[in-house]
Amino acid sequence: MKPTIAAKKKAGQPWLTHQTGQANGQKQNDPLMTQSSNHQESLFHRHVKNPLLTAADWPYPINTVFNAGATLLPDGRTLLLCRVEDHRGHSHFCAARSKSGIDGWEIDSAPTLMPDLENFPEELWGIEDPRITYLPELRKYAVVYTAFSAGGPCVSLALTEDFRTFERYGDIMPPEDKDAALLPRRCANYWVLMHRPVSFQGAHIWISYSPDLRHWGSHKLILEARRGAWWDAGKIGLSPPPIETPKGWLCLYHGVRLTAAGSLYRLGLALFDLQRPEQCILRGQSWIFGPEEPYERFGDVDNVVFPCGYTLEADGDTLRLYYGGADTCIGLATASLRDLLHWLERNGRPAVKTLE
């Protein structure tokens, strides 16, 4: 039987210790959040209760839990739709709800959404990495996720009102494609999907449009993986769904650098035009968040921070980012939207396309 998180903390395991720093008006000894220990400007601050969720918390046997979509429910609770990997290596989704969004998680006693091979054969080897967008026009939540088909990963869509029952649309983008999310509203009367197909050109972020969420077209390349020694030169992909701000759609994206020790996953920022989201206004030069803590550096897949979901606090500025650590657990980091936009204005450059 695996020890609980509380037991691990009591035992003083080093992967649950943190250095406390000052951030956004925090006092130096603030027990709630921690700041990165390096000298780079720190925009995200890890919660001292990280990791929030691990396999030890689950009500049924699993291998790992990570890469959760997130949303706020009408009753104010935070819902995480977690990717749960079983002992076959296949994934499904399980919901966890919390009043605080930090602890006291109520986890569904059985899987919330399982692959449906009879009706959706593209889910053969599991469903992965959900991103949740609430669509006010439909009064439903859209869950965009990866279906692991025999032909490779593809983008699938399901709608739900309560995270109890789901209306599956099936695959909306063929393999190989993943890291997809919807914008919460139409642009020029079309639904908008950002996603990451892979082709002979590489693994870059694209945008597509649809009148009905089923038929997609007007595909455009909007952000490229850089080349050479850049931190995001291997491949890139959308992380949580884009965030609507007065200055544009703020996107956190992951960049993968291939090293002698394997892949290294870190996060960067890009800003897209509100009315023409295929137009990138600014792209950050450096990463803003990367694996530093032991629970991010060591796990089933080392050196990974991978967020799929966020929530905004009542002040409209405090961003709670829920991320997978090393494909093994779920962590929380917070940031100020205002600070992220200011950083991008100071450190961003207009995106340059080289593949067209």
Side-chain angles (χ1 to χ4, degrees):
M1 180 176 178
K2 295 184 179 179
T4 64
I5 293 178
K8 292 177 181 176
K9 289 180 179 177
K10 187 174 181 180
Q13 289 192 9
W15 66 290
L16 291 172
T17 61
H18 306 266
Q19 296 184 9
T20 301
Q22 190 170 3
N24 296 335
Q26 281 180 274
K27 295 180 180 179
Q28 185 67 25
N29 295 320
D30 188 341
L32 295 180
M33 305 302 298
T34 62
Q35 180 167 305
S36 169
S37 59
N38 64 30
H39 297 291
Q40 185 182 16
E41 181 180 3
S42 183
L43 296 170
F44 280 95
H45 310 283
R46 293 166 172 84
H47 203 279
V48 294
K49 290 190 175 181
N50 278 355
L52 300 188
L53 290 168
T54 73
D57 298 291
W58 239 248
Y60 55 89
I62 65 170
N63 177 42
T64 53
V65 53
F66 54 110
N67 298 6
T71 193
L72 289 175
L73 298 173
D75 62 7
R77 289 185 299 169
T78 297
L79 177 138
L80 298 184
L81 191 61
C82 307
R83 174 180 173 183
V84 172
E85 185 179 280
D86 63 25
H87 288 95
R88 301 173 302 163
H90 297 190
S91 294
H92 61 267
F93 300 149
C94 187
R97 298 167 177 84
S98 166
K99 292 180 180 179
S100 68
I102 297 167
D103 52 19
W105 294 98
E106 299 174 0
I107 302 170
D108 284 355
S109 59
T112 306
L113 189 66
M114 287 287 289
D116 179 356
L117 304 187
E118 181 177 350
N119 297 301
F120 301 94
E122 67 275 9
E123 298 177 355
L124 173 65
W125 290 322
I127 53 178
E128 307 174 349
D129 302 348
R131 275 85 167 181
I132 301 171
T133 303
Y134 182 68
L135 307 179
E137 177 183 330
L138 303 181
R139 298 182 181 179
K140 294 180 180 180
Y141 300 91
V143 181
V144 182
Y145 59 95
T146 300
F148 197 167
S149 75
C154 59
V155 176
S156 288
L157 169 67
L159 300 182
T160 183
E161 296 180 1
D162 55 9
F163 293 94
R164 302 290 184 188
T165 60
F166 296 82
E167 177 190 1
R168 276 176 161 101
Y169 278 46
D171 55 319
I172 58 174
M173 291 289 166
E176 180 176 348
D177 204 335
K178 62 191 310 185
D179 299 330
L182 284 170
L183 299 191
R185 60 173 175 83
R186 296 175 188 257
C187 292
N189 207 36
Y190 289 94
W191 296 107
V192 184
L193 181 80
M194 291 186 181
H195 54 115
R196 204 284 305 281
V198 176
S199 71
F200 69 93
Q201 290 181 316
H204 315 287
I205 298 177
W206 288 64
I207 199 167
S208 299
Y209 297 88
S210 171
D212 57 6
L213 294 175
R214 294 186 182 276
H215 304 91
W216 294 89
S218 299
H219 313 292
K220 296 179 178 66
L221 173 65
I222 60 172
L223 199 69
E224 297 177 20
R226 283 181 270 225
R227 303 183 183 191
W230 287 88
W231 68 274
D232 53 358
K235 58 183 177 180
I236 62 172
L238 188 67
S239 286
I243 305 166
E244 187 169 7
T245 76
K247 295 182 180 294
W249 296 101
L250 182 64
C251 288
L252 284 83
Y253 73 94
H254 59 268
V256 184
R257 184 175 186 177
L258 302 177
T259 75
S263 297
L264 177 57
Y265 281 72
R266 294 177 286 208
L267 298 183
L269 288 178
L271 189 69
F272 294 85
D273 186 83
L274 280 178
Q275 303 307 320
R276 299 182 64 247
E278 68 267 21
Q279 180 180 343
C280 184
I281 302 170
L282 289 172
R283 179 184 190 173
Q285 297 291 88
S286 60
W287 72 84
I288 58 167
F289 189 66
E292 295 180 6
E293 297 292 333
Y295 57 84
E296 300 161 352
R297 298 191 66 88
F298 306 107
D300 276 7
V301 182
D302 293 346
N303 296 315
V304 175
V305 290
F306 198 95
C308 287
Y310 74 87
T311 62
L312 273 180
E313 293 190 14
D315 60 9
D317 181 63
T318 304
L319 177 73
R320 286 186 170 187
L321 188 71
Y322 294 92
Y323 65 96
D327 280 17
T328 304
C329 62
I330 294 174
L332 168 64
T334 64
S336 160
L337 276 184
R338 188 181 303 109
D339 289 350
L340 294 177
L341 290 168
H342 287 169
W343 181 91
L344 193 53
E345 289 172 352
R346 296 194 312 271
N347 297 280
R349 301 288 187 276
V352 176
K353 293 183 180 180
T354 62
L355 299 179
E356 293 183 343

